[in-house]
Every structure is written in C-alpha cells, then in structure tokens.
Amino acid sequence: MAYDLLVIGGGVNGCAIARDAAGRGLSVLLVEMGDLASATSSASTKLIHGGLRYLEQLEFRLVREALEERETMLAAAPHLVRPLKFVLPHERGLRPAALIRLGLFLYDHLARRTRLEGSHKVALEGTPFGAPLKGAYKTGFTYADCWVDDARLVVVYALAARELGAEICVRTRLVEARRLPDRWIARCEDEAGAREVEARAIANAAGPYVSQTLHDALRITSKKHARLVKGSHIVTRRLYEGEHAYILQNPDKRVIFAIPYEQELTLVGTTDVPFDGAPGPVEISAEEVAYLLAAINRCFAQSVAEADIVWSFSGLRPLFDDGAVQASVTTRDYAFDLDRAGAPALSIFGGKLTTARRLAEHALDELASAFPQAGPAWTQGATLPGGDIPDDGFEAFLTQFQRERPFLGERLARRLARAYGTRAEKLLGEATTMAALGRGFGCGLTQAELDYLVREEWVRSGEDALWRRSKLGLMLDERRRAEVNEEIDSLLRRHGPQDAARDDL
Ligand code: FAD
C-alpha cells in the first residue's frame, strides 16, 4: 500500500499531524507501537496554558503561541478543554510582587483573549482561596488557563484524522525504513507479523523515541537531539474545596501545581529530573514523592503524607536539546529537523499538548515542497469530534443532554458529556434506560461504553479503557478491573478490532 505521509507515533503531535495532513487531502498512515497516548501524552499536567514560568526564560514566541491556542482549543473541544482559575500565593523572599505583576500583565496582553478572565491581585486571608493555605499567605494573584483531558485529546485528534481518511494503526511499530529518492519503504510490525508500506514522506513524531527512531530506524544522522526530562505527579485525596487550582512557588524557583482532579482528588506536580536512560515507561521515585509532598506541606495548612497518595504517574518530556545546563531551563519550544537527502523525513523535537495543532500546521508547511497538491492550512476554527457544541457552552449542552437522558443521573451524564461531547449520543444510541446499556461494571461504566470504545476508539485492553480513555481505573476495585479486561477480550474476539486499517497494510 502506498501513502503520501507515514506518521510515526500516536501521541498528541503525531495525531495532530495526521489530522492536519488528511484534511489537506493527503493519504496518511499513522503507526503507534502501543496505545494512543500511551507515552508522554497521557502523563502531562493536563494544562492548555501559555506557561507563566516560561516568561522568566524569555520564551515569548512559545508563550504567545500557547496563549493564542488556549482560546482555539476551548472552541475546538469545549467538552475536553475548560477554563481553570489559578491562585498564585505571594511569598516574601521568593519572586517579588512587582515581577509577578509584570509577568501577569504580559500573560494578559501577549495574545488575544475573549473567553478567559484576566489576572487580579486578591486577598487570601479569610477567603476561600486562602482557606487551605498556611496563615502566612496574606495576598496572592489569580489568572486563568485551561485544563484538558490529555489522553482524550489525543483520541479526538485521531478520530478526526480517521474521519478525514487517515488510517490509524495501534499496536503497530515502525521497525525500519529504507529511503529511495522519491519514497520510503517502511517495515511495520503488529501482532499478525511484519508488512511493508510505501510513503512519499515520513513525519517522525515518536516523542521520547524521536532520536532513536531517527538513527536506528531511519538511519539519519542529525545534529539535533532530544533531551529527556522525567516529570512525575501524585494524585492525593482532595486537599481543598473549590474548583480553582494553585500554582505554588518553591524555593528552588520551580513551581508546583495543585489541581482539582476527577471530582474527589487533587493532582500535584510536577518534578523535572534529567533522564539519561533509554526511552520507555518510567515511574515516580521516592525522592520525587518526597519533593512533591514537601512542596505541598510548605504551603498548605493541613499536612499531606504518603498515605494520602492514591496514584502517581510519570512521563518523559522529549525536549529539544538547546544546550542549557539545567533541565528546568531547557527550552519548552519545539524544533523540526527536515532531512531531504532523498524522500523527506521530518522529525519533531519537543512541543506541548497546548500547541500540537499549531505544530502540526508548521510541520505541514515544512513538508509543503513534497506535497504541491496539498490544500492550505485549515484547522484554525475547526472543531474536534464531539466538540460541535453550540455557543451557549458546555453547561447548556449538559443541561440539554440530562433532560434528554434523565435515566443517566447527574454524575454519569456529566462524565459522558465531558468525555465524549456530542459523540455521547453515538455511544448511547436509542437507550432510554440503564438496562439498555447492558451489563454494568461500576461507576456508570457499561457494556455499551466498552463496546463503543473498542469499535470507535481503538481500545484493545482494560488498561486502554480504564487509564487513558477514562480514569475509571482510579475508582474501580481489582475485581471490577479484571471484569473489564475480560469483557474487552471477549468484544475483540467477537468483533475483532474495528479499525480495518491493518487489512490494507
Ligand atoms: P508522545 O506522546 O510520547 O507520543 C510518541 C508516540 O510515539 C508514543 O506513543 C510511542 O509509543 C510512539 N512510538 C515511538 N516509537 C515508535 C515506533 N518506532 N513505531 C510506532 N510508534 C512509536 N504540555 C502541555 O501543553 N501542558 C502541560 O500541562 C504539560 N505538562 C507536562 C508534564 C509532564 C510531566 C510532561 C512529561 C510533559 C508535559 N507536557 C505538557 C508536554 C506534553 O505532554 C508533550 O509535549 C507531548 O505529550 C508530547 O507528545 P508527542 O506526541 O511528541 O510524544
């Protein structure tokens, strides 16, 4: 089978590139060796943000682009992306108030802002924002950014790509590729064995594996390198009331976020630890746990201990190595390496969830000379699957959804509307009772939802469904999780994976 573009990697960048390219009329194959978002793109802090702290590193281009993307993403996927208010407590001896005010002024004005509130100075003493904090914090600042379900964002990019004609193959590894003057011949492996495909160009969006893929699979020597930095989060019992998040200054000049998570929990992160090993799955270390707990306990009145941690996760940031001495000041901006010694190969270094759409646009610009037939940029202003919610916004959509499906109850209706947006209708079909959704697995997870996930969202295991398409793994006990595994195995046996792409390989 011959394609215009072969995309390596089903993280946020690979899926955004596949969507953009397919929408320009190119034939696209994306291969992901694990599950979609199984590497860095499900291990983030889940912010669609400008990155206030990057202003200190004078990353104005990146911050402006990211600030602009907040509003674009709010409009493209209002079910997955939502505004989040941050409280930044002021602390004597750390950043001076004047510096914070200057940073927030730039944050407010670097990019157009219509939906998100600007920043304010606020009193903390005797207020709900100050209530969970130690008494020493008298004043602070608030500003707005956005929160996103990172793993689901990747899936909606993949869905959009598939609906535009791209083939998305999960559990499919690019092993190696031979280069001819006008095309690549790539060997891909899945459970069924190895196959060869041809493509006129390759986009190497392998995240932490980008350098490895360049050298070992594509046999390209590049001057550009990825610098891997491990970042970990802990999830604790809920540490405070309210829907706002905290951005806490640490004496080492880093900042730590505390964010409301999955209704009853708090997400705390992140660390920044240089990583010299080979890319692969990583876990939080005892030192990182201690660091995050210490950061919270410095600022919060009620102390938090290891026993309060219910989950943790870690990922590798594939940063572009700009030669900075410290990991925490390595650029967060992305860089491309376009190799044209024959059919082109574009490698992507760095990037953020926030800017994946823009990165994809720039990637297609870079490849323009290889695809003179490709259409123009088109994704600015386009909605993502499930995001075609009328202008009244998510809450109005939810009210209407609940009215139409009263049998779901408030909690489940909210979860489904948040996760699937308007696509929840497809999952529910004609159902008017819970019984019509089939067997229940706890916390509102039903056979109908698992069936939808296998049919439509490339789910191949319980882990895909419970830890990436949803976070129900946090709520279901071991027995329930095993039942979900069995149900998915049985669905796969009965129907087979629905993305028929591998038959075409
Ligand atoms: P990945 O998501 O890692 O995807 C690459 C994929 O390629 C993987 O799934 C891998 O399996 C696949 N692959 C590799 N080799 C092959 C092969 N040979 N064949 C087939 N498939 C292959 N950004 C934000 O905007 N906001 C945040 O709040 C934020 N917080 C972060 C916090 C942490 C701790 C970290 C680590 C990152 C954070 N980021 C954040 C950055 C963001 O998460 C990453 O930039 C982004 O997820 C990288 O996406 P990617 O597609 O490049 O890589």
Side-chain angles (χ1 to χ4, degrees):
M1 189 76 188
Y3 299 85
D4 290 323
L5 184 64
L6 169 62
V7 181
I8 308 166
V12 74
N13 288 327
C15 291
I17 290 171
R19 170 205 186 213
D20 192 318
R24 293 181 197 233
L26 302 182
S27 60
V28 179
L29 170 69
L30 180 147
V31 290
E32 163 52 56
M33 65 182 175
D35 179 28
L36 296 173
S38 53
T40 311
S41 295
S42 57
S44 79
T45 311
K46 307 172 203 316
L47 300 178
I48 295 290
H49 64 157
L52 188 55
R53 67 183 186 279
Y54 308 141
L55 286 175
E56 282 179 328
Q57 290 156 231
L58 309 180
E59 301 249 28
F60 294 116
R61 194 212 73 82
L62 169 68
V63 176
R64 178 182 289 112
E65 183 171 293
L67 287 170
E68 281 167 3
E69 281 306 281
R70 297 182 309 182
E71 302 248 345
T72 304
M73 296 308 294
L74 266 174
H79 57 311
L80 294 178
V81 181
R82 60 174 188 264
L84 180 61
K85 183 175 270 189
F86 284 80
V87 178
L88 193 170
H90 174 53
E91 189 170 339
R92 252 174 226 283
L94 297 181
R95 289 170 185 87
L99 182 70
I100 296 177
R101 249 190 248 119
L102 173 65
L104 288 172
F105 176 83
L106 289 172
Y107 214 68
D108 284 344
H109 292 97
L110 270 177
R112 189 184 60 91
R113 179 171 49 81
T114 55
R115 296 173 177 230
L116 291 168
E117 244 184 73
S119 63
H120 300 282
K121 185 170 185 211
V122 289
L124 294 179
E125 207 172 13
T127 70
F129 289 156
L133 301 175
K134 289 194 168 148
Y137 296 103
K138 308 286 185 216
T139 59
F141 300 86
T142 61
Y143 68 93
D145 263 326
C146 298
W147 192 90
V148 67
D149 183 328
D150 52 3
R152 290 209 57 78
L153 180 67
V154 175
V155 169
V156 294
Y157 275 127
L159 282 170
R162 184 175 65 191
E163 287 166 15
L164 291 162
E167 291 171 23
I168 310 286
C169 295
V170 294
R171 267 70 175 187
T172 306
R173 175 195 296 269
L174 173 100
V175 182
E176 60 177 356
R178 267 182 302 125
R179 188 186 234 174
L180 302 176
D182 60 342
R183 65 192 191 280
W184 288 91
I185 301 178
R187 201 158 75 89
C188 302
E189 265 177 23
D190 65 10
E191 285 164 358
R195 314 250 169 152
E196 278 196 347
V197 294
E198 290 187 12
R200 288 169 56 201
I202 282 183
N204 171 13
Y209 304 82
V210 61
S211 296
Q212 195 183 75
T213 304
L214 246 178
H215 304 133
D216 301 350
L218 307 183
R219 310 241 175 258
I220 292 175
T221 312
S222 169
K223 287 203 184 81
K224 292 189 178 150
H225 302 284
R227 177 173 188 174
L228 301 185
V229 177
K230 184 179 161 200
S232 299
H233 293 81
I234 52 175
V235 175
T236 65
R237 63 172 170 84
R238 190 179 186 135
L239 298 181
Y240 59 92
E241 292 304 315
E243 292 305 309
H244 56 283
Y246 289 92
I247 171 167
L248 305 170
Q249 303 187 65
N250 218 36
D252 63 4
K253 293 211 157 158
R254 297 194 59 257
V255 292
I256 302 296
F257 294 103
I259 301 171
Y261 191 58
E262 297 293 319
Q263 304 195 27
E264 274 124 40
L265 305 168
T266 302
L267 175 67
V268 177
T270 168
T271 54
D272 243 340
V273 183
F275 183 86
D276 296 326
V282 282
E283 282 178 10
I284 194 166
S285 66
E287 290 77 23
E288 288 174 282
V289 170
Y291 176 88
L292 293 174
L293 289 177
I296 289 292
N297 287 332
R298 268 190 77 248
C299 304
F300 277 63
Q302 229 190 69
S303 79
V304 187
E306 262 194 82
D308 299 307
I309 299 176
V310 296
W311 187 47
S312 66
F313 59 88
S314 303
L316 294 174
R317 290 186 178 86
L319 302 181
F320 170 55
D321 190 352
D322 61 353
V325 181
Q326 268 177 295
S328 59
V329 297
T330 303
T331 182
R332 261 50 176 173
D333 211 344
Y334 53 82
F336 294 137
D337 181 25
L338 178 64
D339 190 286
R340 294 231 47 166
L346 180 74
S347 295
I348 289 105
F349 296 85
K352 294 166 63 61
L353 287 172
T354 308
T355 49
R357 187 199 67 81
R358 283 294 287 272
L359 180 149
E361 230 169 44
H362 292 159
L364 269 292
D365 290 347
E366 289 282 306
L367 289 169
S369 61
F371 300 119
Q373 82 279 25
W378 63 277
T379 57
Q380 170 75 54
T383 51
L384 284 158
D388 48 342
I389 287 171
D391 287 345
D392 290 340
F394 177 77
E395 289 302 325
F397 163 72
L398 176 61
T399 306
Q400 179 66 19
F401 181 59
Q402 276 174 301
R403 203 172 292 140
E404 286 165 6
R405 309 273 187 169
F407 66 94
L408 293 172
E410 204 274 329
R411 204 180 162 92
L412 179 57
R414 182 171 284 276
R415 180 175 75 74
L416 295 179
R418 272 276 168 227
Y420 304 101
T422 55
R423 295 291 164 101
E425 294 297 334
K426 207 167 171 182
L427 185 161
L428 296 169
E430 301 298 313
T432 51
T433 61
M434 282 306 288
L437 299 176
R439 181 177 166 196
F441 295 88
C443 297
L445 179 63
T446 59
Q447 205 166 8
E449 188 170 356
L450 290 179
D451 192 57
Y452 176 85
L453 290 173
V454 170
R455 251 186 311 115
E456 300 287 334
E457 294 197 354
W458 299 275
V459 158
R460 300 289 180 269
S461 73
E463 193 183 317
D464 302 350
L466 296 175
W467 296 101
R468 282 182 289 276
R469 302 309 180 277
S470 76
K471 289 291 181 289
L472 290 168
L474 280 167
M475 283 108 200
L476 299 182
D477 62 24
E478 218 179 309
R479 181 178 61 85
R480 290 296 206 179
R481 295 201 297 261
E483 286 172 7
V484 170
N485 266 324
E486 283 162 24
E487 179 62 22
I488 289 172
D489 284 350
S490 128
L491 282 168
L492 289 169
R493 271 197 307 276
R494 251 180 289 151
H495 307 305
Q498 297 295 308
D499 59 308
R502 71 159 310 280
D503 299 335
D504 301 329
L505 274 177

